[in-house]
Amino acid sequence: MHKASLAIPEAASLPQAGKPGMLSIAIPVLNEERGLSRLLDRLVAVLDGLGRPWEVIFVDDGSKDGTAAMLMALNARDPRFKAVVLSRNFGKEIAVAAGLRYASGAAAIVMDGDLQHPPESIPALVRQWEQGYDVVYGERSNRATDTALHRFTAKLFYGIFSSMSRTELPQGAGDFRLLDRRVVDVLNRMDERARFNKGLFAWVGFRSIGIPYEVAARGEGGSRWRWRQLMRFALDGLVSFTTIPLRVWSYLGLFVSACAFLFALFILVESLVFGISAPGFPTLIISIMFFSGIQLISLGVIGEYLGRVYEEVKGRPLFVVSREIGLGDDHGPQPTDRVTDRGRARS
Ligand code: UDP
Ligand code: MG
């Protein structure tokens, strides 16, 4: 076993208890200026009804509209609304990771900013947490808001994922969930950039329970994901949770070699015993094409993994913050890890 993995973490990275009883809501937003105000009204009503301190941390994932300005104004009006503005679009998964790094509560809730995750379900999540569950995930009771094609590809992906990976994803669980401080601390220590949150949440473990909720129609506009992004996301999910695609080639190679050997034997016997000369040209071409195809595929798969290893090895920060709004020193990563212009903003 690798010795370094037994090292005791330094004091600075030891989990903190989080502010007693406080709830942090992390919401990634990309160009949501038009939908935001509707979300706020419903959110405040629900959160105030909980009878515990709360904070909402918006992560502006490189919006091109007035989202950042709106978040500034919001914080000026009610300091419980805080925000992190990322320097560009890093993608939803990383935006969620950023929100969790800044969450200071005893529990954090991750939800979308498009009203598809109804704020009215928050009390149900909190109740289960109070019962002692560390992870309470929203289970979509319908997928009606997705297109048929989207539903089909999602089903296909989860089928492949569950057959290949040992991490079990709960059925129908989306990103809407509550995480206890302990879970948030573990997640915050995971620096991987090929990020598939649903898998990471499941990987961490702890006592988990699902709460059904109705996925509402999007408050405004269409999904911010593009198909290209979704494909990449699916590939990230598979590659970061299974190495079967890497290993399958050795078995396939063995199988194909065995076939080739048997075929050679067959031809040998055929020409020696029966005197039939094997037609060389077609078999040659077919086998060359077959094996080049297989080699290219396997190279491609190795490339997928190698590319990700390269991305991770560079060790760049997961995200770059261009501005923190309403977040004091008790929030977020340790000062040395911070890549921000806070100094400039303050002077
Ligand atoms: N989002 C983000 N960065 C992105 C894409 C989306 O922060 O690159 C946010 C978006 O503003 C929304 C949430 O993630 O609050 C969910 O996005 P969306 O509704 O577009 O995704 P879907 O519901 O289709 O999964
Ligand atoms: Mg949505």
Side-chain angles (χ1 to χ4, degrees), residues 60 62 68 83-88 90 102 319-325 339-345:
D60 179 6
V84 188
V85 182
L86 301 185
S87 61
R88 62 170 169 85
F90 280 84
Y102 281 89
F319 52 87
V320 179
V321 174
S322 86
R323 179 191 272 153
E324 292 173 347
I325 302 170
V339 184
T340 72
D341 61 357
R342 303 169 69 232
R344 197 179 65 195

PDB file of all heavy atoms in Angstrom, residues 60 62 68 83-88 90 102 319-325 339-345:
ATOM      1  N   ASP A  60     -22.124  32.224  -9.937  1.00  0.00           N
ATOM      2  CA  ASP A  60     -22.346  32.705 -11.297  1.00  0.00           C
ATOM      3  C   ASP A  60     -21.299  32.069 -12.196  1.00  0.00           C
ATOM      4  O   ASP A  60     -20.118  32.396 -12.142  1.00  0.00           O
ATOM      5  CB  ASP A  60     -22.240  34.231 -11.323  1.00  0.00           C
ATOM      6  CG  ASP A  60     -22.445  34.773 -12.732  1.00  0.00           C
ATOM      7  OD1 ASP A  60     -22.775  33.972 -13.632  1.00  0.00           O
ATOM      8  OD2 ASP A  60     -22.262  35.985 -12.933  1.00  0.00           O
ATOM      9  N   GLY A  62     -20.046  32.245 -15.085  1.00  0.00           N
ATOM     10  CA  GLY A  62     -19.671  32.968 -16.307  1.00  0.00           C
ATOM     11  C   GLY A  62     -20.842  33.479 -17.115  1.00  0.00           C
ATOM     12  O   GLY A  62     -20.820  33.406 -18.349  1.00  0.00           O
ATOM     13  N   ALA A  68     -24.676  38.714 -12.614  1.00  0.00           N
ATOM     14  CA  ALA A  68     -23.723  39.124 -11.576  1.00  0.00           C
ATOM     15  C   ALA A  68     -24.173  40.428 -10.903  1.00  0.00           C
ATOM     16  O   ALA A  68     -24.141  40.546  -9.678  1.00  0.00           O
ATOM     17  CB  ALA A  68     -22.332  39.278 -12.172  1.00  0.00           C
ATOM     18  N   ALA A  83     -22.586  35.458  -3.075  1.00  0.00           N
ATOM     19  CA  ALA A  83     -22.324  34.937  -4.428  1.00  0.00           C
ATOM     20  C   ALA A  83     -20.841  34.824  -4.720  1.00  0.00           C
ATOM     21  O   ALA A  83     -20.020  35.552  -4.164  1.00  0.00           O
ATOM     22  CB  ALA A  83     -22.995  35.833  -5.470  1.00  0.00           C
ATOM     23  N   VAL A  84     -20.524  33.889  -5.546  1.00  0.00           N
ATOM     24  CA  VAL A  84     -19.176  33.724  -6.075  1.00  0.00           C
ATOM     25  C   VAL A  84     -19.308  33.895  -7.574  1.00  0.00           C
ATOM     26  O   VAL A  84     -20.140  33.234  -8.186  1.00  0.00           O
ATOM     27  CB  VAL A  84     -18.645  32.299  -5.814  1.00  0.00           C
ATOM     28  CG1 VAL A  84     -17.190  32.204  -6.195  1.00  0.00           C
ATOM     29  CG2 VAL A  84     -18.876  31.887  -4.387  1.00  0.00           C
ATOM     30  N   VAL A  85     -18.539  34.789  -8.137  1.00  0.00           N
ATOM     31  CA  VAL A  85     -18.587  34.958  -9.591  1.00  0.00           C
ATOM     32  C   VAL A  85     -17.350  34.300 -10.178  1.00  0.00           C
ATOM     33  O   VAL A  85     -16.223  34.690  -9.865  1.00  0.00           O
ATOM     34  CB  VAL A  85     -18.633  36.457  -9.972  1.00  0.00           C
ATOM     35  CG1 VAL A  85     -18.742  36.611 -11.485  1.00  0.00           C
ATOM     36  CG2 VAL A  85     -19.797  37.148  -9.264  1.00  0.00           C
ATOM     37  N   LEU A  86     -17.548  33.276 -10.976  1.00  0.00           N
ATOM     38  CA  LEU A  86     -16.413  32.602 -11.598  1.00  0.00           C
ATOM     39  C   LEU A  86     -15.912  33.418 -12.787  1.00  0.00           C
ATOM     40  O   LEU A  86     -16.663  34.189 -13.387  1.00  0.00           O
ATOM     41  CB  LEU A  86     -16.799  31.189 -12.043  1.00  0.00           C
ATOM     42  CG  LEU A  86     -17.301  30.253 -10.936  1.00  0.00           C
ATOM     43  CD1 LEU A  86     -17.528  28.843 -11.484  1.00  0.00           C
ATOM     44  CD2 LEU A  86     -16.329  30.194  -9.764  1.00  0.00           C
ATOM     45  N   SER A  87     -14.640  33.231 -13.117  1.00  0.00           N
ATOM     46  CA  SER A  87     -14.022  34.084 -14.135  1.00  0.00           C
ATOM     47  C   SER A  87     -14.514  33.773 -15.541  1.00  0.00           C
ATOM     48  O   SER A  87     -14.347  34.568 -16.456  1.00  0.00           O
ATOM     49  CB  SER A  87     -12.510  33.926 -14.082  1.00  0.00           C
ATOM     50  OG  SER A  87     -12.163  32.582 -14.351  1.00  0.00           O
ATOM     51  N   ARG A  88     -15.103  32.568 -15.710  1.00  0.00           N
ATOM     52  CA  ARG A  88     -15.668  32.197 -17.013  1.00  0.00           C
ATOM     53  C   ARG A  88     -16.616  31.034 -16.771  1.00  0.00           C
ATOM     54  O   ARG A  88     -16.825  30.658 -15.625  1.00  0.00           O
ATOM     55  CB  ARG A  88     -14.569  31.798 -17.999  1.00  0.00           C
ATOM     56  CG  ARG A  88     -13.784  30.572 -17.530  1.00  0.00           C
ATOM     57  CD  ARG A  88     -12.872  30.042 -18.628  1.00  0.00           C
ATOM     58  NE  ARG A  88     -11.931  29.044 -18.145  1.00  0.00           N
ATOM     59  CZ  ARG A  88     -12.203  27.740 -18.022  1.00  0.00           C
ATOM     60  NH1 ARG A  88     -13.399  27.274 -18.310  1.00  0.00           N
ATOM     61  NH2 ARG A  88     -11.285  26.894 -17.594  1.00  0.00           N
ATOM     62  N   PHE A  90     -17.372  27.459 -16.270  1.00  0.00           N
ATOM     63  CA  PHE A  90     -16.626  26.247 -15.952  1.00  0.00           C
ATOM     64  C   PHE A  90     -17.504  25.006 -16.043  1.00  0.00           C
ATOM     65  O   PHE A  90     -17.048  23.906 -15.829  1.00  0.00           O
ATOM     66  CB  PHE A  90     -16.032  26.325 -14.533  1.00  0.00           C
ATOM     67  CG  PHE A  90     -14.766  27.130 -14.461  1.00  0.00           C
ATOM     68  CD1 PHE A  90     -14.818  28.497 -14.334  1.00  0.00           C
ATOM     69  CD2 PHE A  90     -13.529  26.514 -14.531  1.00  0.00           C
ATOM     70  CE1 PHE A  90     -13.651  29.250 -14.274  1.00  0.00           C
ATOM     71  CE2 PHE A  90     -12.366  27.246 -14.479  1.00  0.00           C
ATOM     72  CZ  PHE A  90     -12.422  28.622 -14.343  1.00  0.00           C
ATOM     73  N   TYR A 102     -17.678  27.068  -0.641  1.00  0.00           N
ATOM     74  CA  TYR A 102     -17.974  28.297   0.089  1.00  0.00           C
ATOM     75  C   TYR A 102     -19.072  28.116   1.132  1.00  0.00           C
ATOM     76  O   TYR A 102     -19.290  28.995   1.947  1.00  0.00           O
ATOM     77  CB  TYR A 102     -18.362  29.414  -0.884  1.00  0.00           C
ATOM     78  CG  TYR A 102     -17.154  30.039  -1.545  1.00  0.00           C
ATOM     79  CD1 TYR A 102     -16.648  29.535  -2.723  1.00  0.00           C
ATOM     80  CD2 TYR A 102     -16.510  31.117  -0.953  1.00  0.00           C
ATOM     81  CE1 TYR A 102     -15.518  30.081  -3.316  1.00  0.00           C
ATOM     82  CE2 TYR A 102     -15.385  31.675  -1.533  1.00  0.00           C
ATOM     83  CZ  TYR A 102     -14.901  31.151  -2.711  1.00  0.00           C
ATOM     84  OH  TYR A 102     -13.780  31.702  -3.291  1.00  0.00           O
ATOM     85  N   PHE A 319     -11.468  25.894 -10.230  1.00  0.00           N
ATOM     86  CA  PHE A 319     -12.195  27.037 -10.792  1.00  0.00           C
ATOM     87  C   PHE A 319     -11.456  28.309 -10.408  1.00  0.00           C
ATOM     88  O   PHE A 319     -10.645  28.308  -9.488  1.00  0.00           O
ATOM     89  CB  PHE A 319     -13.632  27.093 -10.258  1.00  0.00           C
ATOM     90  CG  PHE A 319     -13.720  27.045  -8.757  1.00  0.00           C
ATOM     91  CD1 PHE A 319     -13.646  28.205  -8.004  1.00  0.00           C
ATOM     92  CD2 PHE A 319     -13.863  25.830  -8.097  1.00  0.00           C
ATOM     93  CE1 PHE A 319     -13.719  28.155  -6.615  1.00  0.00           C
ATOM     94  CE2 PHE A 319     -13.938  25.773  -6.713  1.00  0.00           C
ATOM     95  CZ  PHE A 319     -13.865  26.943  -5.971  1.00  0.00           C
ATOM     96  N   VAL A 320     -11.729  29.379 -11.122  1.00  0.00           N
ATOM     97  CA  VAL A 320     -11.113  30.659 -10.805  1.00  0.00           C
ATOM     98  C   VAL A 320     -12.226  31.641 -10.452  1.00  0.00           C
ATOM     99  O   VAL A 320     -13.200  31.771 -11.184  1.00  0.00           O
ATOM    100  CB  VAL A 320     -10.297  31.194 -11.998  1.00  0.00           C
ATOM    101  CG1 VAL A 320      -9.673  32.533 -11.672  1.00  0.00           C
ATOM    102  CG2 VAL A 320      -9.233  30.180 -12.395  1.00  0.00           C
ATOM    103  N   VAL A 321     -12.066  32.268  -9.307  1.00  0.00           N
ATOM    104  CA  VAL A 321     -13.086  33.194  -8.835  1.00  0.00           C
ATOM    105  C   VAL A 321     -12.698  34.595  -9.240  1.00  0.00           C
ATOM    106  O   VAL A 321     -11.565  35.013  -9.030  1.00  0.00           O
ATOM    107  CB  VAL A 321     -13.186  33.102  -7.295  1.00  0.00           C
ATOM    108  CG1 VAL A 321     -14.131  34.157  -6.770  1.00  0.00           C
ATOM    109  CG2 VAL A 321     -13.634  31.715  -6.891  1.00  0.00           C
ATOM    110  N   SER A 322     -13.624  35.313  -9.856  1.00  0.00           N
ATOM    111  CA  SER A 322     -13.277  36.695 -10.194  1.00  0.00           C
ATOM    112  C   SER A 322     -13.801  37.655  -9.139  1.00  0.00           C
ATOM    113  O   SER A 322     -13.287  38.739  -8.977  1.00  0.00           O
ATOM    114  CB  SER A 322     -13.802  37.061 -11.588  1.00  0.00           C
ATOM    115  OG  SER A 322     -15.127  37.515 -11.515  1.00  0.00           O
ATOM    116  N   ARG A 323     -14.827  37.235  -8.395  1.00  0.00           N
ATOM    117  CA  ARG A 323     -15.322  38.133  -7.347  1.00  0.00           C
ATOM    118  C   ARG A 323     -16.122  37.354  -6.308  1.00  0.00           C
ATOM    119  O   ARG A 323     -16.898  36.472  -6.656  1.00  0.00           O
ATOM    120  CB  ARG A 323     -16.201  39.198  -7.989  1.00  0.00           C
ATOM    121  CG  ARG A 323     -16.786  40.161  -6.990  1.00  0.00           C
ATOM    122  CD  ARG A 323     -17.833  41.005  -7.640  1.00  0.00           C
ATOM    123  NE  ARG A 323     -17.288  42.200  -8.251  1.00  0.00           N
ATOM    124  CZ  ARG A 323     -17.856  42.809  -9.287  1.00  0.00           C
ATOM    125  NH1 ARG A 323     -18.921  42.332  -9.831  1.00  0.00           N
ATOM    126  NH2 ARG A 323     -17.326  43.918  -9.766  1.00  0.00           N
ATOM    127  N   GLU A 324     -15.894  37.695  -5.055  1.00  0.00           N
ATOM    128  CA  GLU A 324     -16.703  37.110  -3.982  1.00  0.00           C
ATOM    129  C   GLU A 324     -17.639  38.200  -3.496  1.00  0.00           C
ATOM    130  O   GLU A 324     -17.214  39.315  -3.244  1.00  0.00           O
ATOM    131  CB  GLU A 324     -15.809  36.641  -2.832  1.00  0.00           C
ATOM    132  CG  GLU A 324     -14.929  35.460  -3.191  1.00  0.00           C
ATOM    133  CD  GLU A 324     -13.926  35.131  -2.095  1.00  0.00           C
ATOM    134  OE1 GLU A 324     -13.742  35.963  -1.182  1.00  0.00           O
ATOM    135  OE2 GLU A 324     -13.330  34.054  -2.158  1.00  0.00           O
ATOM    136  N   ILE A 325     -18.904  37.879  -3.397  1.00  0.00           N
ATOM    137  CA  ILE A 325     -19.881  38.880  -2.954  1.00  0.00           C
ATOM    138  C   ILE A 325     -20.443  38.462  -1.605  1.00  0.00           C
ATOM    139  O   ILE A 325     -21.118  37.440  -1.490  1.00  0.00           O
ATOM    140  CB  ILE A 325     -21.016  39.021  -3.992  1.00  0.00           C
ATOM    141  CG1 ILE A 325     -20.437  39.418  -5.355  1.00  0.00           C
ATOM    142  CG2 ILE A 325     -22.054  40.019  -3.520  1.00  0.00           C
ATOM    143  CD1 ILE A 325     -21.428  39.355  -6.494  1.00  0.00           C
ATOM    144  N   VAL A 339      -7.862  32.042  -5.414  1.00  0.00           N
ATOM    145  CA  VAL A 339      -7.374  32.761  -6.577  1.00  0.00           C
ATOM    146  C   VAL A 339      -8.432  33.808  -6.864  1.00  0.00           C
ATOM    147  O   VAL A 339      -9.406  33.568  -7.542  1.00  0.00           O
ATOM    148  CB  VAL A 339      -7.246  31.817  -7.786  1.00  0.00           C
ATOM    149  CG1 VAL A 339      -6.637  32.543  -8.958  1.00  0.00           C
ATOM    150  CG2 VAL A 339      -6.413  30.619  -7.406  1.00  0.00           C
ATOM    151  N   THR A 340      -8.274  34.967  -6.265  1.00  0.00           N
ATOM    152  CA  THR A 340      -9.331  35.971  -6.396  1.00  0.00           C
ATOM    153  C   THR A 340      -8.698  37.359  -6.473  1.00  0.00           C
ATOM    154  O   THR A 340      -7.482  37.511  -6.310  1.00  0.00           O
ATOM    155  CB  THR A 340     -10.261  35.984  -5.165  1.00  0.00           C
ATOM    156  OG1 THR A 340      -9.541  36.549  -4.080  1.00  0.00           O
ATOM    157  CG2 THR A 340     -10.707  34.593  -4.799  1.00  0.00           C
ATOM    158  N   ASP A 341      -9.530  38.348  -6.687  1.00  0.00           N
ATOM    159  CA  ASP A 341      -9.010  39.716  -6.648  1.00  0.00           C
ATOM    160  C   ASP A 341      -9.576  40.444  -5.443  1.00  0.00           C
ATOM    161  O   ASP A 341      -9.913  41.594  -5.489  1.00  0.00           O
ATOM    162  CB  ASP A 341      -9.350  40.457  -7.947  1.00  0.00           C
ATOM    163  CG  ASP A 341     -10.848  40.561  -8.156  1.00  0.00           C
ATOM    164  OD1 ASP A 341     -11.602  40.018  -7.322  1.00  0.00           O
ATOM    165  OD2 ASP A 341     -11.256  41.189  -9.132  1.00  0.00           O
ATOM    166  N   ARG A 342      -9.690  39.714  -4.355  1.00  0.00           N
ATOM    167  CA  ARG A 342     -10.322  40.299  -3.163  1.00  0.00           C
ATOM    168  C   ARG A 342      -9.549  41.516  -2.689  1.00  0.00           C
ATOM    169  O   ARG A 342     -10.113  42.513  -2.289  1.00  0.00           O
ATOM    170  CB  ARG A 342     -10.417  39.275  -2.041  1.00  0.00           C
ATOM    171  CG  ARG A 342     -11.153  38.049  -2.456  1.00  0.00           C
ATOM    172  CD  ARG A 342     -11.013  36.967  -1.431  1.00  0.00           C
ATOM    173  NE  ARG A 342     -11.735  37.303  -0.217  1.00  0.00           N
ATOM    174  CZ  ARG A 342     -11.219  37.275   0.975  1.00  0.00           C
ATOM    175  NH1 ARG A 342      -9.963  36.972   1.146  1.00  0.00           N
ATOM    176  NH2 ARG A 342     -11.953  37.568   2.023  1.00  0.00           N
ATOM    177  N   GLY A 343      -8.191  41.401  -2.730  1.00  0.00           N
ATOM    178  CA  GLY A 343      -7.362  42.504  -2.265  1.00  0.00           C
ATOM    179  C   GLY A 343      -7.706  43.778  -3.002  1.00  0.00           C
ATOM    180  O   GLY A 343      -7.934  44.817  -2.400  1.00  0.00           O
ATOM    181  N   ARG A 344      -7.823  43.647  -4.311  1.00  0.00           N
ATOM    182  CA  ARG A 344      -8.116  44.818  -5.124  1.00  0.00           C
ATOM    183  C   ARG A 344      -9.502  45.361  -4.791  1.00  0.00           C
ATOM    184  O   ARG A 344      -9.683  46.553  -4.648  1.00  0.00           O
ATOM    185  CB  ARG A 344      -8.060  44.421  -6.601  1.00  0.00           C
ATOM    186  CG  ARG A 344      -7.948  45.593  -7.502  1.00  0.00           C
ATOM    187  CD  ARG A 344      -7.884  45.159  -8.944  1.00  0.00           C
ATOM    188  NE  ARG A 344      -9.136  44.529  -9.334  1.00  0.00           N
ATOM    189  CZ  ARG A 344      -9.267  43.811 -10.429  1.00  0.00           C
ATOM    190  NH1 ARG A 344      -8.229  43.575 -11.191  1.00  0.00           N
ATOM    191  NH2 ARG A 344     -10.434  43.294 -10.748  1.00  0.00           N
ATOM    192  N   ALA A 345     -10.438  44.466  -4.629  1.00  0.00           N
ATOM    193  CA  ALA A 345     -11.814  44.893  -4.376  1.00  0.00           C
ATOM    194  C   ALA A 345     -11.906  45.638  -3.044  1.00  0.00           C
ATOM    195  O   ALA A 345     -12.736  46.508  -2.874  1.00  0.00           O
ATOM    196  CB  ALA A 345     -12.728  43.705  -4.368  1.00  0.00           C
TER     197      ALA A 345
END
